[in-house]
Amino acid sequence: MLQMSNVGSYPPVFRQLNGGGVHPPQQMMAQLKKNNYSMEDTSTTTQEDSVPIPMVDLECLSLHKLGDACKNWGLFRLVNHGIPSTLLTKLQYHAKMLFGLSFESKQALITNPMSYFWGTPALTPSGTALNPAASTSTMNWLEGFNVPLTQLPHFHSEHPMLHCFRLLLEEYGRHLSRIATTLFESMAKNLDLDPKQSESKLDESTAFIRVYRYPPRRSLAGEAWGMIPHTDSSVLSIVNQDHVGGLEIFKDNKWHLVNPIPNTLVVHIGDMMQAISDDEYMSVKHRVRVKKQEERLSICYFVFPAEESVIHSSKYKPFTYKDFQEQVQKDTRTLGYKVGLQRFKA
């Protein structure tokens, strides 16, 4: 396994602060607690708190198992997904090589349509940081690459590492599009959605990949957050995490680890799928804890409805994903956090 010890590859503020705690601001803490996103039990989450989340086999897809996982968990492990293990290994290797470049090199090399960000996962549609991490009180302990898949063929770089990474991401994106479409069509059957009405509820042209690196936190690891508690805005999110672990889900009023298992993916139900399903499927609350001595890498795929596709639900006022996205961006700018579906309650 490739280890990166190049301190200069991390954003400068991470180098400066790698010795003190990073705490969410009081306003954010109050809202998270109100929504049962409490972070107060972080020191008690142990390896024993990991849960055997449901397993779904894409080769022998059981609608019953899939529906049960979506209703009761909001996520599941996907096996026999058809992505070559060599592709997953190469992707992680090249991502680590890119992250290992100097901070200044990454800022210079990663250009439109790809983007480089750090300190926050909240980005504008163009991929720039929505709330730049100017304050340690609002900082997420991460850096990443944002990759809109439809624009990826137009990204050209003379840097051989970036050129190879682009080709790998294109191949990976084709696999993820196949998987997301297969899963969504099966979910639509379970929910008895009208096939024509559900066509625009998952639009492959909206899909993007984010590659995250979570630097180690050599002291007070429990007080630094790779990503604070949240739900995804997507229809589906598909996560490929490395061996380090750190992903946690909130279930039965308790946080649980989702331990990594080689050659499996973790599929999350997002806010849009919750609304489409009339709250039958639940968008899973999750967070990422950083490690003291090891950095963590994850490669995440997100896909959404068509921007102008109207979501009708007995639980929510009619809205489009564009409406939802604009509201999330507004809340994040003004409040510092996402409110989400509560804004659209009927």
Side-chain angles (χ1 to χ4, degrees), residues 261-285:
I261 297 178
N263 295 321
T264 69
L265 303 172
V266 178
V267 181
H268 294 236
I269 299 299
D271 297 337
M272 295 301 96
M273 192 69 228
Q274 178 173 329
I276 291 166
S277 72
D278 221 18
D279 282 6
E280 191 169 337
Y281 293 173
M282 300 307 292
S283 184
V284 63
K285 300 170 190 174

PDB file of all heavy atoms in Angstrom, residues 261-285:
ATOM      1  N   ILE A 261     -14.879  -3.493   3.387  1.00  0.00           N
ATOM      2  CA  ILE A 261     -14.683  -4.879   2.947  1.00  0.00           C
ATOM      3  C   ILE A 261     -14.181  -4.825   1.512  1.00  0.00           C
ATOM      4  O   ILE A 261     -14.799  -4.168   0.665  1.00  0.00           O
ATOM      5  CB  ILE A 261     -15.996  -5.688   3.021  1.00  0.00           C
ATOM      6  CG1 ILE A 261     -16.479  -5.794   4.473  1.00  0.00           C
ATOM      7  CG2 ILE A 261     -15.818  -7.077   2.422  1.00  0.00           C
ATOM      8  CD1 ILE A 261     -17.796  -6.535   4.637  1.00  0.00           C
ATOM      9  N   PRO A 262     -13.064  -5.467   1.205  1.00  0.00           N
ATOM     10  CA  PRO A 262     -12.489  -5.394  -0.148  1.00  0.00           C
ATOM     11  C   PRO A 262     -13.493  -5.794  -1.231  1.00  0.00           C
ATOM     12  O   PRO A 262     -14.317  -6.695  -1.044  1.00  0.00           O
ATOM     13  CB  PRO A 262     -11.322  -6.395  -0.087  1.00  0.00           C
ATOM     14  CG  PRO A 262     -10.957  -6.465   1.360  1.00  0.00           C
ATOM     15  CD  PRO A 262     -12.255  -6.302   2.108  1.00  0.00           C
ATOM     16  N   ASN A 263     -13.414  -5.084  -2.363  1.00  0.00           N
ATOM     17  CA  ASN A 263     -14.216  -5.375  -3.560  1.00  0.00           C
ATOM     18  C   ASN A 263     -15.726  -5.261  -3.337  1.00  0.00           C
ATOM     19  O   ASN A 263     -16.518  -5.881  -4.043  1.00  0.00           O
ATOM     20  CB  ASN A 263     -13.874  -6.758  -4.126  1.00  0.00           C
ATOM     21  CG  ASN A 263     -12.454  -6.824  -4.635  1.00  0.00           C
ATOM     22  OD1 ASN A 263     -11.950  -5.873  -5.232  1.00  0.00           O
ATOM     23  ND2 ASN A 263     -11.788  -7.943  -4.389  1.00  0.00           N
ATOM     24  N   THR A 264     -16.127  -4.488  -2.346  1.00  0.00           N
ATOM     25  CA  THR A 264     -17.545  -4.163  -2.192  1.00  0.00           C
ATOM     26  C   THR A 264     -17.699  -2.650  -2.267  1.00  0.00           C
ATOM     27  O   THR A 264     -16.759  -1.907  -1.980  1.00  0.00           O
ATOM     28  CB  THR A 264     -18.122  -4.653  -0.850  1.00  0.00           C
ATOM     29  OG1 THR A 264     -17.556  -3.897   0.226  1.00  0.00           O
ATOM     30  CG2 THR A 264     -17.849  -6.135  -0.639  1.00  0.00           C
ATOM     31  N   LEU A 265     -18.884  -2.208  -2.664  1.00  0.00           N
ATOM     32  CA  LEU A 265     -19.237  -0.794  -2.674  1.00  0.00           C
ATOM     33  C   LEU A 265     -20.298  -0.554  -1.613  1.00  0.00           C
ATOM     34  O   LEU A 265     -21.029  -1.473  -1.233  1.00  0.00           O
ATOM     35  CB  LEU A 265     -19.779  -0.385  -4.050  1.00  0.00           C
ATOM     36  CG  LEU A 265     -18.859  -0.638  -5.246  1.00  0.00           C
ATOM     37  CD1 LEU A 265     -19.602  -0.357  -6.550  1.00  0.00           C
ATOM     38  CD2 LEU A 265     -17.607   0.222  -5.160  1.00  0.00           C
ATOM     39  N   VAL A 266     -20.392   0.672  -1.126  1.00  0.00           N
ATOM     40  CA  VAL A 266     -21.447   1.042  -0.186  1.00  0.00           C
ATOM     41  C   VAL A 266     -22.373   2.022  -0.895  1.00  0.00           C
ATOM     42  O   VAL A 266     -21.932   3.072  -1.375  1.00  0.00           O
ATOM     43  CB  VAL A 266     -20.868   1.674   1.098  1.00  0.00           C
ATOM     44  CG1 VAL A 266     -22.000   2.102   2.029  1.00  0.00           C
ATOM     45  CG2 VAL A 266     -19.949   0.683   1.811  1.00  0.00           C
ATOM     46  N   VAL A 267     -23.658   1.657  -0.987  1.00  0.00           N
ATOM     47  CA  VAL A 267     -24.643   2.478  -1.689  1.00  0.00           C
ATOM     48  C   VAL A 267     -25.514   3.198  -0.665  1.00  0.00           C
ATOM     49  O   VAL A 267     -26.100   2.562   0.218  1.00  0.00           O
ATOM     50  CB  VAL A 267     -25.525   1.618  -2.619  1.00  0.00           C
ATOM     51  CG1 VAL A 267     -26.533   2.497  -3.363  1.00  0.00           C
ATOM     52  CG2 VAL A 267     -24.650   0.847  -3.618  1.00  0.00           C
ATOM     53  N   HIS A 268     -25.598   4.524  -0.779  1.00  0.00           N
ATOM     54  CA  HIS A 268     -26.411   5.356   0.107  1.00  0.00           C
ATOM     55  C   HIS A 268     -27.667   5.808  -0.609  1.00  0.00           C
ATOM     56  O   HIS A 268     -27.613   6.227  -1.769  1.00  0.00           O
ATOM     57  CB  HIS A 268     -25.659   6.634   0.509  1.00  0.00           C
ATOM     58  CG  HIS A 268     -24.456   6.421   1.351  1.00  0.00           C
ATOM     59  ND1 HIS A 268     -24.296   7.032   2.570  1.00  0.00           N
ATOM     60  CD2 HIS A 268     -23.341   5.679   1.162  1.00  0.00           C
ATOM     61  CE1 HIS A 268     -23.133   6.684   3.103  1.00  0.00           C
ATOM     62  NE2 HIS A 268     -22.545   5.858   2.252  1.00  0.00           N
ATOM     63  N   ILE A 269     -28.798   5.765   0.091  1.00  0.00           N
ATOM     64  CA  ILE A 269     -30.005   6.441  -0.382  1.00  0.00           C
ATOM     65  C   ILE A 269     -29.864   7.925  -0.047  1.00  0.00           C
ATOM     66  O   ILE A 269     -29.485   8.286   1.066  1.00  0.00           O
ATOM     67  CB  ILE A 269     -31.256   5.877   0.322  1.00  0.00           C
ATOM     68  CG1 ILE A 269     -31.414   4.388   0.021  1.00  0.00           C
ATOM     69  CG2 ILE A 269     -32.504   6.656  -0.065  1.00  0.00           C
ATOM     70  CD1 ILE A 269     -31.597   4.069  -1.438  1.00  0.00           C
ATOM     71  N   GLY A 270     -30.150   8.793  -1.043  1.00  0.00           N
ATOM     72  CA  GLY A 270     -30.033  10.238  -0.827  1.00  0.00           C
ATOM     73  C   GLY A 270     -31.385  10.915  -0.665  1.00  0.00           C
ATOM     74  O   GLY A 270     -32.446  10.284  -0.766  1.00  0.00           O
ATOM     75  N   ASP A 271     -31.355  12.219  -0.414  1.00  0.00           N
ATOM     76  CA  ASP A 271     -32.571  12.995  -0.162  1.00  0.00           C
ATOM     77  C   ASP A 271     -33.579  12.891  -1.309  1.00  0.00           C
ATOM     78  O   ASP A 271     -34.787  12.808  -1.083  1.00  0.00           O
ATOM     79  CB  ASP A 271     -32.228  14.473   0.035  1.00  0.00           C
ATOM     80  CG  ASP A 271     -31.344  14.712   1.248  1.00  0.00           C
ATOM     81  OD1 ASP A 271     -31.348  13.872   2.158  1.00  0.00           O
ATOM     82  OD2 ASP A 271     -30.650  15.747   1.278  1.00  0.00           O
ATOM     83  N   MET A 272     -33.079  12.923  -2.562  1.00  0.00           N
ATOM     84  CA  MET A 272     -33.995  12.886  -3.693  1.00  0.00           C
ATOM     85  C   MET A 272     -34.735  11.551  -3.762  1.00  0.00           C
ATOM     86  O   MET A 272     -35.925  11.500  -4.065  1.00  0.00           O
ATOM     87  CB  MET A 272     -33.250  13.148  -5.005  1.00  0.00           C
ATOM     88  CG  MET A 272     -32.641  14.547  -5.123  1.00  0.00           C
ATOM     89  SD  MET A 272     -33.846  15.890  -5.002  1.00  0.00           S
ATOM     90  CE  MET A 272     -33.714  16.316  -3.270  1.00  0.00           C
ATOM     91  N   MET A 273     -34.047  10.458  -3.454  1.00  0.00           N
ATOM     92  CA  MET A 273     -34.694   9.148  -3.455  1.00  0.00           C
ATOM     93  C   MET A 273     -35.709   9.061  -2.328  1.00  0.00           C
ATOM     94  O   MET A 273     -36.774   8.455  -2.480  1.00  0.00           O
ATOM     95  CB  MET A 273     -33.650   8.050  -3.308  1.00  0.00           C
ATOM     96  CG  MET A 273     -34.179   6.639  -3.578  1.00  0.00           C
ATOM     97  SD  MET A 273     -34.589   6.390  -5.316  1.00  0.00           S
ATOM     98  CE  MET A 273     -36.219   5.659  -5.192  1.00  0.00           C
ATOM     99  N   GLN A 274     -35.417   9.681  -1.195  1.00  0.00           N
ATOM    100  CA  GLN A 274     -36.381   9.698  -0.093  1.00  0.00           C
ATOM    101  C   GLN A 274     -37.665  10.399  -0.524  1.00  0.00           C
ATOM    102  O   GLN A 274     -38.772   9.904  -0.266  1.00  0.00           O
ATOM    103  CB  GLN A 274     -35.794  10.393   1.136  1.00  0.00           C
ATOM    104  CG  GLN A 274     -36.789  10.487   2.295  1.00  0.00           C
ATOM    105  CD  GLN A 274     -36.189  11.017   3.588  1.00  0.00           C
ATOM    106  OE1 GLN A 274     -35.010  10.803   3.853  1.00  0.00           O
ATOM    107  NE2 GLN A 274     -36.993  11.702   4.377  1.00  0.00           N
ATOM    108  N   ALA A 275     -37.524  11.543  -1.181  1.00  0.00           N
ATOM    109  CA  ALA A 275     -38.708  12.291  -1.618  1.00  0.00           C
ATOM    110  C   ALA A 275     -39.466  11.542  -2.711  1.00  0.00           C
ATOM    111  O   ALA A 275     -40.698  11.465  -2.681  1.00  0.00           O
ATOM    112  CB  ALA A 275     -38.294  13.677  -2.108  1.00  0.00           C
ATOM    113  N   ILE A 276     -38.720  10.970  -3.665  1.00  0.00           N
ATOM    114  CA  ILE A 276     -39.351  10.219  -4.751  1.00  0.00           C
ATOM    115  C   ILE A 276     -40.157   9.044  -4.194  1.00  0.00           C
ATOM    116  O   ILE A 276     -41.231   8.714  -4.685  1.00  0.00           O
ATOM    117  CB  ILE A 276     -38.275   9.717  -5.749  1.00  0.00           C
ATOM    118  CG1 ILE A 276     -37.670  10.902  -6.520  1.00  0.00           C
ATOM    119  CG2 ILE A 276     -38.857   8.684  -6.719  1.00  0.00           C
ATOM    120  CD1 ILE A 276     -36.399  10.554  -7.272  1.00  0.00           C
ATOM    121  N   SER A 277     -39.642   8.429  -3.136  1.00  0.00           N
ATOM    122  CA  SER A 277     -40.297   7.256  -2.548  1.00  0.00           C
ATOM    123  C   SER A 277     -41.388   7.625  -1.537  1.00  0.00           C
ATOM    124  O   SER A 277     -41.950   6.735  -0.898  1.00  0.00           O
ATOM    125  CB  SER A 277     -39.260   6.369  -1.861  1.00  0.00           C
ATOM    126  OG  SER A 277     -38.797   6.972  -0.657  1.00  0.00           O
ATOM    127  N   ASP A 278     -41.669   8.909  -1.385  1.00  0.00           N
ATOM    128  CA  ASP A 278     -42.667   9.356  -0.414  1.00  0.00           C
ATOM    129  C   ASP A 278     -42.262   8.953   1.009  1.00  0.00           C
ATOM    130  O   ASP A 278     -43.100   8.531   1.822  1.00  0.00           O
ATOM    131  CB  ASP A 278     -44.036   8.767  -0.767  1.00  0.00           C
ATOM    132  CG  ASP A 278     -45.169   9.770  -0.580  1.00  0.00           C
ATOM    133  OD1 ASP A 278     -44.889  10.979  -0.516  1.00  0.00           O
ATOM    134  OD2 ASP A 278     -46.323   9.335  -0.468  1.00  0.00           O
ATOM    135  N   ASP A 279     -40.990   9.066   1.266  1.00  0.00           N
ATOM    136  CA  ASP A 279     -40.400   8.739   2.580  1.00  0.00           C
ATOM    137  C   ASP A 279     -40.435   7.249   2.917  1.00  0.00           C
ATOM    138  O   ASP A 279     -40.193   6.857   4.057  1.00  0.00           O
ATOM    139  CB  ASP A 279     -41.074   9.522   3.721  1.00  0.00           C
ATOM    140  CG  ASP A 279     -40.591  10.963   3.797  1.00  0.00           C
ATOM    141  OD1 ASP A 279     -39.826  11.379   2.917  1.00  0.00           O
ATOM    142  OD2 ASP A 279     -40.993  11.670   4.732  1.00  0.00           O
ATOM    143  N   GLU A 280     -40.696   6.404   1.922  1.00  0.00           N
ATOM    144  CA  GLU A 280     -40.628   4.959   2.177  1.00  0.00           C
ATOM    145  C   GLU A 280     -39.174   4.526   2.314  1.00  0.00           C
ATOM    146  O   GLU A 280     -38.838   3.660   3.115  1.00  0.00           O
ATOM    147  CB  GLU A 280     -41.320   4.188   1.055  1.00  0.00           C
ATOM    148  CG  GLU A 280     -41.528   2.718   1.381  1.00  0.00           C
ATOM    149  CD  GLU A 280     -42.445   2.014   0.393  1.00  0.00           C
ATOM    150  OE1 GLU A 280     -43.260   2.686  -0.262  1.00  0.00           O
ATOM    151  OE2 GLU A 280     -42.325   0.785   0.283  1.00  0.00           O
ATOM    152  N   TYR A 281     -38.301   5.111   1.487  1.00  0.00           N
ATOM    153  CA  TYR A 281     -36.857   4.899   1.594  1.00  0.00           C
ATOM    154  C   TYR A 281     -36.267   6.116   2.292  1.00  0.00           C
ATOM    155  O   TYR A 281     -36.657   7.248   2.000  1.00  0.00           O
ATOM    156  CB  TYR A 281     -36.205   4.745   0.220  1.00  0.00           C
ATOM    157  CG  TYR A 281     -36.606   3.502  -0.537  1.00  0.00           C
ATOM    158  CD1 TYR A 281     -36.190   3.311  -1.854  1.00  0.00           C
ATOM    159  CD2 TYR A 281     -37.410   2.507   0.034  1.00  0.00           C
ATOM    160  CE1 TYR A 281     -36.537   2.174  -2.571  1.00  0.00           C
ATOM    161  CE2 TYR A 281     -37.773   1.372  -0.672  1.00  0.00           C
ATOM    162  CZ  TYR A 281     -37.337   1.215  -1.973  1.00  0.00           C
ATOM    163  OH  TYR A 281     -37.690   0.093  -2.675  1.00  0.00           O
ATOM    164  N   MET A 282     -35.317   5.896   3.188  1.00  0.00           N
ATOM    165  CA  MET A 282     -34.808   6.992   4.005  1.00  0.00           C
ATOM    166  C   MET A 282     -33.366   7.353   3.643  1.00  0.00           C
ATOM    167  O   MET A 282     -32.513   6.471   3.510  1.00  0.00           O
ATOM    168  CB  MET A 282     -34.886   6.630   5.484  1.00  0.00           C
ATOM    169  CG  MET A 282     -36.309   6.337   5.965  1.00  0.00           C
ATOM    170  SD  MET A 282     -37.501   7.663   5.590  1.00  0.00           S
ATOM    171  CE  MET A 282     -36.895   8.956   6.665  1.00  0.00           C
ATOM    172  N   SER A 283     -33.127   8.641   3.495  1.00  0.00           N
ATOM    173  CA  SER A 283     -31.777   9.151   3.247  1.00  0.00           C
ATOM    174  C   SER A 283     -30.952   8.977   4.520  1.00  0.00           C
ATOM    175  O   SER A 283     -31.321   9.476   5.584  1.00  0.00           O
ATOM    176  CB  SER A 283     -31.862  10.633   2.864  1.00  0.00           C
ATOM    177  OG  SER A 283     -30.600  11.158   2.533  1.00  0.00           O
ATOM    178  N   VAL A 284     -29.848   8.279   4.416  1.00  0.00           N
ATOM    179  CA  VAL A 284     -29.105   7.867   5.608  1.00  0.00           C
ATOM    180  C   VAL A 284     -28.193   8.995   6.111  1.00  0.00           C
ATOM    181  O   VAL A 284     -27.474   9.633   5.340  1.00  0.00           O
ATOM    182  CB  VAL A 284     -28.284   6.588   5.329  1.00  0.00           C
ATOM    183  CG1 VAL A 284     -27.222   6.812   4.265  1.00  0.00           C
ATOM    184  CG2 VAL A 284     -27.641   6.060   6.605  1.00  0.00           C
ATOM    185  N   LYS A 285     -28.250   9.264   7.418  1.00  0.00           N
ATOM    186  CA  LYS A 285     -27.332  10.223   8.041  1.00  0.00           C
ATOM    187  C   LYS A 285     -25.988   9.532   8.244  1.00  0.00           C
ATOM    188  O   LYS A 285     -25.920   8.412   8.744  1.00  0.00           O
ATOM    189  CB  LYS A 285     -27.872  10.692   9.392  1.00  0.00           C
ATOM    190  CG  LYS A 285     -29.226  11.375   9.315  1.00  0.00           C
ATOM    191  CD  LYS A 285     -29.799  11.582  10.700  1.00  0.00           C
ATOM    192  CE  LYS A 285     -31.257  12.048  10.623  1.00  0.00           C
ATOM    193  NZ  LYS A 285     -31.884  12.124  11.953  1.00  0.00           N
TER     194      LYS A 285
END
